[in-house]
Amino acid sequence: MNECIFCKIISKEIPADIVFEDEHCLAFKDIHPTAPVHALIIPKHHIPTLNDLTSLDVNIIGHIVNTAITLSKKLGIAEDGYRLVANCNKDAGQVVYHVHFHLLGGRPFSWPPG
Ligand code: 5GP
Ligand code: ZN
């Protein structure tokens, strides 16, 4: 049985505020937003971390980045700017082990990140 919370969002077992969906990926608002715009974009098949990606996943990663660019325009953050972030494993603070990209915008971000 798959206990992954993001797989349950994909299967609609648990609700989410979905902002985009197609055959390959899903985007929804983060439940604890850290910016005025904070969406998560995930592949529709379960991949635990970036380290688990293979050459077969090149297309889905490109598709997710393309989706982020489209969403940034739709959500009104393209012009001022945004951050697209993927955390891998504990040192980066990954807490959900289903690959996801945070699309963050609506305020300035510091660099380097903390
Ligand atoms: P990570 O630290 O793994 O990169 O980020 C996981 C993100 O998923 C966090 O920002 C957290 O707020 C979000 N999250 C965790 N559980 C849920 C959930 O059930 N629904 C939604 N929409 N976001 C979630
Ligand atoms: Zn999953």
Side-chain angles (χ1 to χ4, degrees):
M1 196 170 129
N2 188 350
E3 288 303 316
C4 171
I5 193 138
F6 285 179
C7 283
K8 287 182 175 170
I9 288 175
I10 291 164
S11 65
K12 313 281 165 62
E13 283 172 72
I14 66 166
D17 192 344
I18 293 170
V19 292
F20 177 80
E21 178 168 18
D22 70 9
E23 190 186 344
H24 304 292
C25 73
L26 183 71
F28 51 95
K29 292 185 182 171
D30 196 292
I31 203 165
H32 294 126
T34 60
V37 173
H38 188 172
L40 301 170
I41 311 168
I42 66 175
K44 277 197 166 173
H45 61 288
H46 184 82
I47 309 168
T49 79
L50 289 179
N51 290 341
D52 300 303
L53 292 169
T54 72
S55 56
L56 297 175
D57 300 309
V58 166
N59 287 347
I60 184 61
I61 298 307
H63 183 61
I64 285 173
V65 172
N66 192 47
T67 298
I69 294 165
T70 303
L71 268 179
S72 74
K73 293 171 186 157
K74 183 179 161 187
L75 299 174
I77 56 173
E79 200 164 316
D80 282 344
Y82 55 89
R83 191 165 279 176
L84 188 61
V85 179
N87 297 319
C88 181
N89 282 340
K90 64 178 176 59
D91 278 2
Q94 184 175 5
V95 295
V96 178
Y97 281 78
H98 180 129
V99 163
H100 52 279
F101 288 74
H102 298 255
L103 175 64
L104 297 149
R107 67 169 173 85
F109 298 96
S110 60
W111 189 263

